[in-house]
Amino acid sequence: MKQASMHVASLTLDEMNPRHSQPTKSLEESIAALLEEKGAPKLLRLARSIVDRGLNPTELIVVMPVGDLNIVLEGNRRVATLKLLHKPSLAPTEQLQRKFAAIAASGEVPRRVQCVVAENRQHAAPWIKLRHTGENDGVGVVKWSPAEISRFGGRSTPTEKARLLTDAVSAWFADDEELIADVAAVRENRITNLGRMIGDPDVRGRLGISFDGESVVSDFPKDRMRQILARLFHDLAGTVSVDKIKTKRQRNSYLQQVEDDLPKLSERLDEPQRFSGAASSASPETIKKVETSESSPAKTPRRKRPDFEKRLFQSVSLRNVSLRTSEVFEEAKRLSIDEMPNVAAIMVRIIVDIVVTDAADQLGWKRGQNDLKGRIGAALHQVDPAQDKPALSGAWRFSQKDEGALVLKTLHQFVHSWQANPLTSEVRKLSLAYGPLLTEIDELIEKKRR
């Protein structure tokens, strides 16, 4: 088989596509068959992916020339989606036509695709079969396990954080054979259960651990962590199944059961220590204490917020800002972070700016109003002059201290740089960091009015 670049318009959908319950008789009928039942949402998501990122270059379309036609043997969903983007009227309903048209208008739609040309169906059949019929004893596509998917996705998922913790614990207590055996059992068979536990901020806070990139950060001396970690891994490797830690109430109940094994809050280190993977068995690195959402329950409890925000600033209510600011804010709160990360990222910057500017106008602040950093800084100094409110640590860090990847210039880049591609995790982190500041500003406006 050879490769060739072909125009989308020259490609013909396969009327004998195995996805169809019976052969189709036209392009419109083939597209309608692919859109039936649950097919429409999937093709719409595929359309969005194609417009945002282009076609997957690792999977080529397979065609078979028949006279003047190039019949698609592999890749009918992709080609159908491209045709719908170029000509939305091919969709069987007006609603789908509008949706495909809207997606097409939001970016570039490929007009040519790279194809593999097969002489006939028999020539292509063995490869197409391998593509769609599973592992075939290792000859076909071997699916990743949940652990492999997690490793590929990086350290941001609870499961991969759990894996990072198992690496650290194995290095910390390499001399404890029983603990190491339990760690190995959890890593092999119960890693998602451990991820469920440490994905809970209350559990992390009481254990005194947090995560910073590839490092595990401990608020307690390593030796004081041994007892609770031994108990946790022993329980997870044994009788504590997912059904016993599925809900937050169950996880809190577990913490109460192991209270005697937990390190005492009075034993907290003045400065937390960072341990990085296998290297953690060496001397730990002492780091500057930074109050985050993952640390220090000994401090004044912060305002309760959802652990996972689906919408921008969803836990924040503003009642004392001006009417226009309130209206823009409420409209922004309707944005789904996962569905519209680019718009959400831009709106984080806009909302923060208009709220701090609104507060400055209402309360007569004159200093530090020349740029966004100054305006945020002026607001922070008003609501947290001692810089000791844990809930505002993220806003201080991201806007004033130039620490980490989400510094203030990132907000500017989301608006002004088309090379900036915000991740949903970044937008969510910024929303959680600046949300408490917006609440504090709103409360300060109310207080000043009294």
Side-chain angles (χ1 to χ4, degrees):
M1 292 192 288
K2 62 181 180 179
Q3 293 188 21
S5 176
M6 297 187 177
H7 199 283
V8 173
S10 71
L11 303 179
T12 300
L13 297 183
D14 187 4
E15 296 179 352
M16 298 176 62
N17 187 345
R19 293 186 184 277
H20 306 330
S21 58
Q22 57 187 11
T24 55
K25 299 178 181 180
S26 66
L27 173 63
E28 290 80 3
E29 192 173 325
S30 297
I31 288 177
L34 289 171
L35 289 167
E36 283 180 356
E37 296 182 3
K38 298 180 181 180
K42 294 180 180 179
L43 256 63
L44 286 166
R45 286 192 288 269
L46 178 57
R48 169 55 60 194
S49 175
I50 290 173
V51 170
D52 288 345
R53 296 191 292 265
L55 287 164
N56 184 350
T58 69
E59 297 181 357
L60 299 184
I61 293 165
V62 181
V63 301
M64 174 184 67
V66 178
D68 294 334
L69 304 177
N70 292 305
I71 298 176
V72 178
L73 301 181
E74 170 61 19
N76 278 271
R77 292 178 65 253
R78 283 169 281 168
V79 173
T81 302
L82 286 169
K83 288 183 176 292
L84 285 164
L85 288 170
H86 285 296
K87 190 177 179 181
S89 60
L90 290 171
T93 67
E94 291 185 4
Q95 183 182 28
L96 285 173
Q97 291 172 12
R98 290 195 298 270
K99 289 182 177 181
F100 279 106
I103 295 173
S106 67
E108 294 293 327
V109 182
R111 295 187 176 277
R112 301 188 68 86
V113 295
Q114 195 69 17
C115 300
V116 175
V117 182
E119 295 179 6
N120 50 52
R121 289 184 185 274
Q122 291 71 30
H123 194 194
W127 308 110
I128 296 175
K129 181 179 179 181
L130 283 179
R131 175 70 180 82
H132 292 284
T133 57
E135 297 188 4
N136 288 280
D137 296 324
V139 181
V141 178
V142 179
K143 291 185 177 180
W144 280 347
S145 68
E148 290 164 341
I149 294 172
S150 179
R151 284 196 289 273
F152 180 78
R155 299 295 191 183
S156 60
T157 65
T159 299
E160 195 55 27
K161 286 182 177 178
R163 199 172 304 281
L164 188 62
L165 180 60
T166 63
D167 290 342
V169 172
S170 296
W172 296 349
F173 308 110
D175 60 335
D176 191 329
E177 294 182 2
E178 185 175 350
L179 174 54
I180 294 301
D182 286 335
V183 169
V186 170
R187 185 181 179 91
E188 184 67 24
N189 301 309
R190 302 284 184 88
I191 193 68
T192 55
N193 293 1
L194 177 60
R196 188 181 295 272
M197 285 293 288
I198 64 172
D200 188 324
D202 289 343
V203 174
R204 292 195 306 269
R206 193 59 191 91
L207 292 177
I209 61 170
S210 57
F211 297 88
D212 183 11
E214 295 292 310
S215 301
V216 178
V217 179
S218 174
D219 287 335
F220 296 100
K222 185 175 66 173
D223 288 343
R224 285 299 297 121
M225 295 291 292
R226 182 189 295 264
Q227 187 171 339
I228 182 56
L229 290 173
R231 174 70 182 273
L232 175 64
F233 280 97
H234 179 74
D235 288 347
L236 290 176
T239 59
V240 177
S241 64
V242 65
D243 291 334
K244 296 181 179 180
I245 56 171
K246 184 178 295 185
T247 67
K248 195 171 189 67
R249 178 178 295 178
Q250 289 173 320
R251 293 190 291 271
N252 286 336
S253 176
Y254 177 82
L255 289 176
Q256 293 174 9
Q257 294 171 24
V258 300
E259 181 66 31
D260 291 341
D261 297 309
L262 289 165
K264 302 297 184 280
L265 297 180
S266 60
E267 297 171 324
R268 284 181 177 274
L269 295 166
D270 292 333
E271 303 291 344
Q273 294 177 332
R274 177 187 286 119
F275 301 88
S276 301
S280 62
S281 57
S283 57
E285 174 192 356
T286 299
I287 61 175
K288 183 179 179 180
K289 181 70 172 179
V290 177
E291 294 299 331
T292 68
S293 61
E294 298 181 336
S295 63
S296 193
K299 296 290 185 179
T300 303
R302 69 193 63 189
R303 187 174 290 101
K304 184 173 178 60
R305 297 188 307 238
D307 296 332
F308 186 84
E309 289 199 335
K310 295 182 179 180
R311 300 190 179 276
L312 208 61
F313 299 119
Q314 71 177 36
S315 59
V316 179
S317 296
L318 301 182
R319 299 182 177 85
N320 301 290
V321 295
S322 66
L323 179 60
R324 176 68 191 284
T325 300
S326 177
E327 290 175 343
V328 174
F329 179 73
E330 290 301 321
E331 291 174 7
K333 286 180 65 176
R334 300 173 192 168
L335 292 173
S336 168
I337 295 174
D338 291 315
E339 293 178 5
M340 293 179 282
N342 289 288
V343 177
I346 291 172
M347 288 307 299
V348 170
R349 191 244 190 253
I350 292 173
I351 290 299
V352 172
D353 199 353
I354 64 174
V355 171
V356 296
T357 302
D358 189 353
D361 289 342
Q362 289 198 52
L363 302 178
W365 300 341
K366 301 299 183 183
R367 299 181 59 183
Q369 300 298 307
N370 294 330
D371 56 26
L372 181 57
K373 180 176 182 179
R375 290 192 290 275
I376 296 176
L380 282 167
H381 282 289
Q382 289 287 335
V383 299
D384 188 21
Q387 300 186 30
D388 60 356
K389 293 183 178 181
L392 296 178
S393 62
W396 277 109
R397 190 164 70 255
F398 293 155
S399 68
Q400 307 298 306
K401 300 180 181 180
D402 291 338
E403 293 181 11
L406 294 178
V407 294
L408 191 59
K409 65 181 180 181
T410 306
L411 286 180
H412 297 308
Q413 290 171 348
F414 287 163
V415 177
H416 300 294
S417 173
W418 303 119
Q419 282 71 46
N421 295 304
L423 302 175
T424 56
S425 59
E426 293 176 331
V427 178
R428 189 167 284 113
K429 188 176 292 187
L430 289 167
S431 177
L432 287 169
Y434 285 109
L437 173 61
L438 304 184
T439 299
E440 292 278 358
I441 290 173
D442 191 64
E443 292 175 351
L444 181 64
I445 293 174
E446 181 182 32
K447 180 179 178 181
K448 295 292 186 180
R449 284 176 177 173
R450 294 173 182 172

